[in-house]
Amino acid sequence: MTDYIPKKDADFDIWFKNLVQYVNQKCIAVPPATEPEWDHIPASRRNELNNSYADWYTAYVITLKPHTPPETEAKNEARDDSEAEIRPFVNQYLRFPPVTNVDRTAMGIHNRDPHPTPVPKPTAQVEADLTFPGIHLVELKKIRPIASGAPPDPRSDYGVRIYYGILDGSGRERITAPPLTGDDLPHSVFTRRKKYRFDFDGSSGKTVYLCMRYENDKGGEEGEGPFGPILSAVIP
């Protein structure tokens, strides 16, 4: 099954706007009704979805006229952030009753296959660019599959686990020798975003090592892909 989120930005904008409007309409009582059709989505979460669309559209509309590379980058980052908001929202609130198959079709969300095929183990490797937005800050940007590797499967490459350790650091992040594999790194975080920022306060001047791999939604050994390259940087 193909991804339900449209690939082209113009299609994504229309689809995302429709999703937001549909959810809001279902969660607001329309006279003569005194109760909304859906009451299972907290207002705070709807506001986060609304704000995510506003942030996306603000960045996207700038690129509809002649624009600069930084404006393109801002649009791409806004889209990544929006998708990271949309997917868990859909899985938590729109996959189950009172939302129906008709509702999901109207929102452009695939209905679940009653006989789904098994989700394959990830096969693609992961890479990213290292940036340093401030003192003791290290950010992985443009988290992506390695171009020369196997193409990612949107079902299996569900998210990325980032392993890290600090040479001669302190606490759980400490390592005493450069790692040979991601398994040598003592701590990890999971993300579905295309960027992730670490704040290594107190470790400026030390070397941090990072390594990533895709995970599907099973987790554990059955859901883990191969490690990508080990990255290292001196913490500013």
Side-chain angles (χ1 to χ4, degrees):
M1 181 181 291
T2 58
D3 192 4
Y4 63 85
I5 296 182
K7 292 187 178 300
K8 294 182 179 179
D9 286 340
D11 296 337
F12 173 73
D13 179 64
I14 295 170
W15 176 86
F16 192 7
K17 181 178 181 180
N18 174 68
L19 175 72
V20 169
Q21 290 178 337
Y22 196 94
V23 168
N24 287 329
Q25 289 170 1
K26 289 288 184 175
C27 293
I28 297 173
V30 179
T34 58
E35 298 292 335
E37 290 188 50
W38 298 348
D39 61 3
H40 67 295
I41 305 177
S44 61
R45 292 291 284 114
R46 298 201 313 272
N47 288 337
E48 289 172 3
L49 189 69
N50 294 339
N51 292 338
S52 182
Y53 176 75
D55 291 343
W56 149 254
Y57 185 76
T58 298
Y60 166 64
V61 73
I62 292 173
T63 66
L64 298 181
K65 61 182 186 301
H67 54 281
T68 65
E71 288 170 336
T72 299
E73 179 71 14
K75 182 266 296 181
N76 291 340
E77 290 190 1
R79 168 143 185 176
D80 290 340
D81 290 345
S82 291
E83 290 196 24
E85 172 69 29
I86 290 166
R87 293 185 190 278
F89 186 95
V90 168
N91 289 336
Q92 184 173 2
Y93 300 113
L94 304 181
R95 290 295 186 192
F96 309 100
V99 184
T100 66
N101 285 348
V102 173
D103 291 323
R104 281 183 285 274
T105 298
M107 289 183 286
I109 300 170
H110 297 322
N111 287 302
R112 292 191 182 277
D113 186 343
H115 305 288
T117 56
V119 176
K121 188 172 183 176
T123 57
Q125 292 179 296
V126 197
E127 64 181 353
D129 298 334
L130 280 174
T131 63
F132 310 96
I135 297 174
H136 55 73
L137 300 179
V138 176
E139 186 168 272
L140 290 164
K141 296 190 70 174
K142 299 181 181 178
I143 297 174
R144 61 195 182 273
I146 294 177
S148 60
D153 182 319
R155 297 177 303 150
S156 63
D157 301 336
Y158 177 78
V160 172
R161 184 162 295 279
I162 307 169
Y163 297 77
Y164 62 97
I166 299 175
L167 189 63
D168 297 325
S170 60
R172 62 185 181 182
E173 299 168 349
R174 174 182 171 82
I175 55 176
T176 57
L180 300 177
T181 172
D183 283 327
D184 295 334
L185 297 170
H187 200 55
S188 70
V189 293
F190 180 84
T191 184
R192 300 206 65 206
R193 297 179 180 271
K194 297 297 189 296
K195 61 181 178 180
Y196 193 91
R197 179 177 295 185
F198 291 93
D199 185 347
F200 296 121
D201 191 13
S203 294
S204 294
K206 298 184 182 296
T207 299
V208 61
Y209 290 87
L210 307 105
C211 192
M212 298 175 290
R213 65 180 170 192
Y214 280 117
E215 286 187 2
N216 65 26
D217 57 2
K218 291 181 181 178
E221 291 186 4
E222 293 184 1
E224 296 172 343
F227 280 116
I230 293 175
L231 307 174
S232 65
V234 175
I235 300 169

